[in-house]
Amino acid sequence: MQSVTPAGALVGRDSEMALLTGLIREVARGRGGSVLIEGEPGIGKSTLVRAAVAEALEAGCQVFWGSGDELGQALPLLPFLDGLLVREPSTNPRRKTIVRLLRGEVSADRGTDVPAVLAEQLLALVAEQCAMRPTILIIDDLQWADQASITLWGRLARSARQVPLLLIGMMRPVPQRDDVLALRRVAGDATRLQLAGLAETAVADLVAELAGGRPDDGLLRLADGAAGNPLYVTELVAALARSSGLTITEAGAAELAGGSVPGSLSAAIADRLGFVTGPVREVLRAAALLGVDFAVPDLAVVLHRGVADLIPAVDEACAVGVLAESGRGLGFRHPLIRAALYDDMPASVRAAWHRDAGRALAEAGAPTDRVARQLLRAVTGSGAPAEPVDEWMLDWLARTADLLVGQAPGVAAELLTRALAGSPAGSAQHGRLASRLADALYRLGDLAAAEQVANRALEYAAEPDLLVDLHWTLAQCRMLAGESPESLALLDRALAAPGISARHRARLLALAARTHLNSSEVETAGRVAAEALDAASEAGDNWAMGWALLVMALVTSARGDMTEALPLFDRALAVTESDPTLTDLRLLQQLNKAVTLGNLDRHEEALTAAGQARHLADQVGATFRLAQAHCALGQLLFQTGRWDDALTEVGTLPEDLTEPGMACCDLGIAAVISFHRGDTSAARGYLAASDPHAKRLGRRHIGPLALARSLDREQDGALPEARTALTDAFDGNEEVEEIEDLLADAVRLATRTGDLSTAQALAGHADTLATESTIPHRLANALYCRALLDHDAARLLVAADRYDDASRPLLRAKALEAAAGHFIDTDDRTQARAAFTAAVDVYTSLGAAADVARLQATFRGHGIRRGPHAKHRRAQSGWDSLTATEIKIAAFVEEGLSNPEIAARLLLSRRTVATHVSHILKKLNVNSRIDIARESALRTIPPR
């Protein structure tokens, strides 16, 4: 961490200091929190925090300090990577994994979001640090942090209360960025601390401290011009002292004696730098190229000097108050001092020096991101006209492009764009650079630009690996843009190229099979996938084999042979099991197997498979696959009536970390549950949150969201609109299997509104799906829909039994409710009462208070009330409201296990555990894990 301000240098911040020291005492006791400190440059944010954490080590805390840096803001997660000291030698497996990711030593599937993987690993590292000791994590200058760091800070802020973590963020009001300003909302319970200028009395105390005597009126009037900014006051007094402008009287008063007075803070800093000798100033200019904080060996490399040679210059810079010790080695005492030196250099000189610094660091073996930081400034950020990229930079980019594209696609795209302009078209180097640029643009979501670059490169490309890379990127872009025919034509041309190897043929065929499947050309996809499997087996290419088998499994499932698809999934998983480079593909295979098992109503197997995928995705930091796993689990748990656990799954990941379809599914499930439980306000809040995601989907229908929208209209008595919200999904939709869960409610609403033609058509869909099927929910749907049309209460009871076989309690309750109504119509009150009581019991088990109330109100009019043996209403708060999973987690918290340790025990993701802990805190109305442990202990103390 950074050095602590000497005693006495912090004045006028007593209340702010008390707040921070109070938070530090709380985290030392195990109660975490977060605080966001805002204020103008020089107002004393860093000084305040350094003073507050000075005693943290004695309190048993560990402190980590990272900073955003204007030079490094394009590089993902730099403040956390530097602050958590991940590049320091360590035996910690998590730290080793992060370092290997940064070096490109951990192979990842093409298209893997490496910054997202790193973010997950950093989250896990913070959790592990908190499990060892209470932790204080400080990120300074958030206004210069990259988007990934801002997102990570927000995620940590959300979970800080659950672990012994004090998260401190500091930022300036400018430059204003929407994502940074949003931290005020994202941080939630975080304390916001706005640092204003010092009061007059505090300014007088600071001047006295700095000048060594009580200031006279003239000196105070001069200090008033600093507007209470402590840095300005400090530099002002220092400038007066250097120019002999201060006199200390025998009475101990500090008087203004004349001399030059800086007219601004920048002028005061320039005055300080004016007293630095020429050789030292040269060292400081080189240091300014490296950022606010820098490693002394890096400075020596840039200057082509030994570390020992720099000691006199560094000592002098520290003595005159320009440099000070920092977490990485040395740093400028304030960013404004570094900015003054940097801005004083001519733009063209800065650019050339950044280029030379990048080359020197690269030749010394510095990490890729540290080199890229310099080169990016050389070509884009110096303010000088862009110069041609030299041969050395072209060669370096060609060698490191894969690593750079994975870690920082934005930086890679900027550098590669400049490099491509300086590389001869048609050369091998040009093709390689173009391929990497297209990949970087694809990862950034700029599909049009990626396609344009790849198309141009294909005009000259001849090398097989390069052709496959370019075709892969093009095909991905066109599939995402809905242009599968164009993608297939392109792949056909590539497959017709002479001299193509078995490996390249297998990979291109696998991609073609995927494209055909995405175009709903199921039979063609199956045929091409079989060809790909043969070619892949011949070439021994696990990647192509894994993809070919996955497509074959999905094709088999799409034909309706879901049981036969399971062995193909198992074969695919066997191919990817032992190859860590295929982890993302393995996760996709596992998730599709889980979905298939769920569609077969083999829910326990499906939950196990999806849970394994969730655990693996969490371990490797695969954020997108983790979101898919949570979404799949949420749907399975909702269908099987485990609604509390479903809410945990769908609420685990923030919406900004999921794609629109998954976000709509998750929010739809939460809304449906809320409507059934009578929390209409929360349900409509989820629907409102889904609107921006749904707009991005166009006419694509998401089942749970359509069901939630229908319930919304039904609650208001607008039954035709409720019906339309469901039936619209079937208009022109040839893939009824994707939304078959809407059939039952769509037919129910169609019959209630008298739209019998629509009800008949939808019931026909249900009959078709049930034909020659043994899947319980399909048989139940067909029975339910026909029974509603025929007013057949007995058949509705059979449908309820089939829904019970399918482990779908909500639909079972609806069938029982409908049966009870039809028994009333035929005056069979005995069967009506039995069906009514069974429906109330099922609704009660789900916590569906709105359904219970509606049902009781309806049948009360017929003289039928709930029997005396009905189940009691579920508790909404307190220990009895905890689910079985939450009780297990509370017991593990009592044992002292951390979230990662609990996750490993239960095969859950860390974020799922964190969400469960949040629910436990809310239900028990307590504030920390210590409180959870106490409550759990009270339940496990044996009676005396």
Side-chain angles (χ1 to χ4, degrees):
M1 58 170 281
Q2 295 187 0
S3 58
V4 175
T5 304
L10 184 72
V11 298
R13 300 295 188 197
D14 293 347
S15 62
E16 294 92 341
M17 188 71 172
L19 186 148
L20 289 180
T21 53
L23 290 172
I24 291 170
R25 284 195 296 271
E26 286 295 299
V27 77
R29 297 187 188 116
R31 294 183 173 91
S34 54
V35 59
L36 191 60
I37 305 173
E38 302 175 58
E40 67 182 37
I43 206 67
K45 303 181 293 296
S46 302
T47 300
L48 170 66
V49 173
R50 283 197 295 268
V53 301
E55 307 302 324
L57 294 177
E58 291 184 11
C61 300
Q62 55 184 337
V63 181
F64 298 96
W65 189 307
S67 297
D69 189 336
E70 188 176 2
L71 291 180
Q73 60 183 311
L75 296 164
L77 301 167
L78 206 56
F80 285 94
L81 294 168
D82 287 346
L84 290 166
L85 306 174
V86 297
R87 290 188 175 94
E88 298 292 321
S90 174
T91 58
N92 179 286
R94 183 78 59 184
R95 292 178 177 274
K96 285 184 173 181
T97 297
I98 294 172
V99 170
R100 291 179 65 216
L101 276 166
L102 291 171
R103 292 174 177 167
E105 295 170 2
V106 176
S107 298
D109 292 349
R110 177 114 181 249
T112 297
D113 188 346
V114 177
V117 174
L118 281 170
E120 296 301 319
Q121 294 291 338
L122 289 168
L123 277 172
L125 177 60
V126 171
E128 290 172 1
Q129 295 295 152
C130 292
M132 291 189 291
R133 289 171 62 193
T135 300
I136 300 173
L137 176 57
I138 303 153
I139 303 296
D140 201 352
D141 281 326
L142 278 167
Q143 77 281 351
W144 296 129
D146 60 282
Q147 175 68 60
S149 292
I150 297 299
T151 300
L152 182 54
W153 197 96
R155 289 170 65 188
L156 286 168
R158 292 187 189 97
S159 61
R161 283 184 57 207
Q162 301 176 18
V163 292
L165 169 67
L166 176 56
L167 181 68
I168 300 176
M170 291 174 274
M171 68 183 195
R172 304 180 192 175
V174 291
Q176 289 198 353
R177 287 169 46 189
D178 290 341
D179 57 341
V180 177
L181 295 177
L183 285 182
R184 297 170 180 169
R185 299 187 301 271
V186 171
D189 295 333
T191 302
R192 280 186 60 205
L193 191 56
Q194 186 78 42
L195 286 192
L198 297 175
E200 288 185 13
T201 53
V203 170
D205 291 342
L206 179 58
V207 173
E209 179 78 22
L210 295 169
R214 187 179 65 258
D216 66 0
D217 291 343
L219 187 52
L220 287 176
R221 281 194 299 272
L222 187 62
D224 282 344
N229 186 297
L231 179 63
Y232 192 176
V233 172
T234 301
E235 292 300 325
L236 193 65
V237 174
L240 289 169
R242 284 192 297 270
S243 63
S244 301
L246 284 178
T247 301
I248 307 299
T249 67
E250 292 181 0
E255 295 181 346
L256 190 61
S260 60
V261 178
S264 66
L265 177 54
S266 57
I269 291 172
D271 183 88
R272 179 182 292 275
L273 293 173
F275 281 78
V276 174
T277 60
V280 174
R281 193 178 187 88
E282 195 69 9
V283 171
L284 292 174
R285 282 177 170 167
L289 297 172
L290 299 174
V292 176
D293 297 322
F294 55 90
V296 177
D298 284 356
L299 180 60
V301 166
V302 169
L303 288 167
H304 304 285
R305 294 167 62 179
V307 171
D309 294 338
L310 296 178
I311 291 177
V314 168
D315 286 345
E316 182 179 332
C318 291
V320 298
V322 175
L323 296 181
E325 290 186 16
S326 77
R328 291 182 56 199
L330 284 175
F332 288 93
R333 191 169 59 83
H334 194 278
L336 293 176
I337 297 175
R338 179 246 160 209
L341 283 159
Y342 189 79
D343 294 340
D344 188 50
M345 286 185 274
S348 58
V349 173
R350 280 203 307 263
W353 208 348
H354 273 302
R355 192 185 306 262
D356 290 347
R359 181 168 185 170
L361 289 169
E363 290 173 350
T368 300
D369 61 327
R370 206 172 292 173
V371 177
R373 188 179 186 180
Q374 296 297 316
L375 299 184
L376 190 64
R377 282 283 161 170
V379 300
T380 66
S382 66
E387 296 182 8
V389 175
D390 61 27
E391 195 62 35
W392 175 84
M393 195 184 298
L394 289 172
D395 180 64
W396 181 82
L397 279 170
R399 285 185 285 106
T400 61
D402 281 336
L403 181 57
L404 195 59
V405 167
Q407 283 185 24
V411 174
E414 188 69 56
L415 289 173
L416 287 166
T417 298
R418 304 292 180 119
L420 210 58
S423 179
S427 67
Q429 184 186 67
H430 186 276
R432 169 73 175 154
L433 293 173
S435 170
R436 299 300 82 218
L437 175 57
D439 189 15
L441 292 168
Y442 165 70
R443 291 173 188 247
L444 291 170
D446 193 346
L447 302 184
E451 187 172 344
Q452 184 180 47
V453 170
N455 272 325
R456 287 177 180 170
L458 280 171
E459 295 175 8
Y460 304 98
E463 196 272 319
D465 281 334
L466 178 59
L467 283 168
V468 170
D469 276 350
L470 290 168
H471 283 300
W472 174 267
T473 301
L474 267 179
Q476 292 289 96
C477 289
R478 289 178 176 174
M479 278 194 289
L480 289 174
E483 300 172 352
S484 293
E486 293 87 344
S487 178
L488 288 167
L490 189 72
L491 289 167
D492 286 342
R493 288 200 299 273
L495 284 163
I500 189 169
S501 68
R503 175 175 175 272
H504 291 116
R505 177 176 175 76
R507 294 197 164 204
L508 290 170
L509 284 169
L511 184 54
R514 284 182 61 199
T515 308
H516 282 296
L517 186 61
N518 288 342
S519 302
S520 299
E521 298 169 3
V522 175
E523 296 306 320
T524 304
R527 177 178 54 77
V528 176
E531 287 184 56
L533 181 61
D534 289 340
S537 301
E538 178 188 343
D541 189 335
N542 285 344
W543 182 94
M545 275 193 280
W547 270 112
L549 285 164
L550 175 58
V551 172
M552 291 170 69
L554 293 173
V555 165
T556 304
S557 182
R559 289 171 178 156
D561 302 325
M562 287 186 279
T563 302
E564 287 73 19
L566 294 175
L568 289 168
F569 282 121
D570 290 335
R571 285 178 63 191
L573 287 164
V575 168
T576 56
E577 183 177 15
S578 59
D579 191 341
T581 68
L582 301 180
T583 299
D584 187 72
L585 176 55
R586 178 174 181 77
L587 286 167
L588 190 59
Q589 294 165 344
Q590 183 86 345
L591 287 166
N592 277 286
K593 179 183 177 181
V595 170
T596 303
L597 287 165
N599 290 336
L600 288 166
D601 293 333
R602 292 164 61 171
H603 290 108
E604 293 308 315
E605 294 173 78
L607 287 165
T608 298
Q612 290 170 344
R614 175 187 57 190
H615 185 62
L616 177 58
D618 186 53
Q619 281 185 315
V620 301
T623 306
F624 185 73
R625 300 299 179 212
L626 182 61
Q628 290 179 316
H630 283 302
C631 188
L633 283 163
Q635 292 180 78
L636 289 166
L637 292 165
F638 169 71
Q639 289 170 352
T640 55
R642 285 169 265 193
W643 285 4
D644 289 314
D645 288 337
L647 287 171
T648 296
E649 292 296 337
V650 301
T652 294
L653 284 174
E655 292 170 44
D656 58 355
L657 295 181
T658 59
E659 65 93 29
M662 286 188 284
C664 286
C665 183
D666 290 349
L667 291 165
I669 288 172
V672 169
I673 292 173
S674 298
F675 276 128
H676 281 290
R677 289 185 166 177
D679 193 348
T680 303
S681 176
R684 287 176 174 160
Y686 291 126
L687 283 177
S690 73
D691 285 343
H693 302 289
K695 287 177 182 175
R696 294 173 59 191
L697 293 176
R699 292 187 54 79
R700 178 181 162 198
H701 293 279
I702 303 297
L705 182 59
L707 188 57
R709 287 172 169 170
S710 176
L711 282 169
D712 184 32
R713 305 314 302 139
E714 188 172 1
Q715 289 248 330
D716 287 342
L719 295 185
E721 290 90 341
R723 178 200 65 219
T724 302
L726 298 179
T727 56
D728 278 354
F730 293 94
D731 289 346
N733 192 337
E734 298 179 0
E735 298 179 355
V736 177
E737 297 90 342
E738 297 293 323
I739 49 174
E740 64 176 301
D741 288 342
L742 301 181
L743 283 168
D745 279 291
V747 171
R748 175 180 63 84
L749 289 166
T751 55
R752 283 191 65 186
T753 56
D755 187 356
L756 296 183
S757 62
T758 297
Q760 289 283 3
L762 294 173
H765 286 313
D767 289 339
T768 300
L769 290 172
T771 301
E772 298 183 4
S773 175
T774 59
I775 300 172
H777 80 265
R778 288 190 169 174
L779 299 175
N781 276 342
L783 286 165
Y784 177 77
C785 294
R786 283 297 163 194
L788 286 177
L789 283 164
D790 297 341
H791 307 285
D792 188 339
R795 193 185 298 181
L796 283 166
L797 290 181
V798 177
D801 288 342
R802 295 292 78 75
Y803 280 130
D804 194 26
D805 294 340
S807 299
R808 303 207 177 194
L810 178 61
L811 290 171
R812 178 183 176 226
K814 289 182 178 182
L816 288 166
E817 180 180 353
H822 288 308
F823 281 128
I824 287 289
D825 293 339
T826 59
D827 203 28
D828 188 342
R829 300 178 64 81
T830 300
Q831 294 227 62
R833 181 185 297 279
F836 159 79
T837 301
V840 170
D841 286 347
V842 177
Y843 281 135
T844 301
S845 71
L846 295 171
D851 297 295
V852 171
R854 183 197 65 253
L855 195 56
Q856 288 181 328
T858 299
F859 283 83
R860 192 179 297 119
H862 300 291
I864 295 177
R865 290 178 170 79
R866 194 176 186 187
H869 300 296
K871 298 176 183 177
H872 293 293
R873 191 171 184 172
R874 290 165 49 92
Q876 299 299 307
S877 62
W879 186 264
D880 292 338
S881 70
L882 300 186
T883 66
T885 303
E886 288 166 351
I887 290 172
K888 287 181 186 176
I889 288 174
F892 284 133
V893 170
E894 181 191 350
E895 290 181 28
L897 271 63
S898 66
N899 283 2
E901 291 169 328
I902 297 172
R905 292 276 187 98
L906 297 179
L907 280 184
L908 300 174
S909 73
R910 296 185 305 277
R911 278 195 252 190
T912 301
V913 174
T915 303
H916 277 302
V917 171
S918 291
H919 290 172
I920 295 169
L921 290 168
K922 184 176 180 180
K923 289 180 178 180
L924 298 182
N925 193 28
V926 295
N927 297 315
S928 72
R929 296 171 80 90
I930 295 173
D931 299 325
I932 293 174
R934 183 177 63 250
E935 292 291 327
S936 178
L938 290 173
R939 299 318 190 275
T940 56
I941 295 174
R944 295 183 179 181

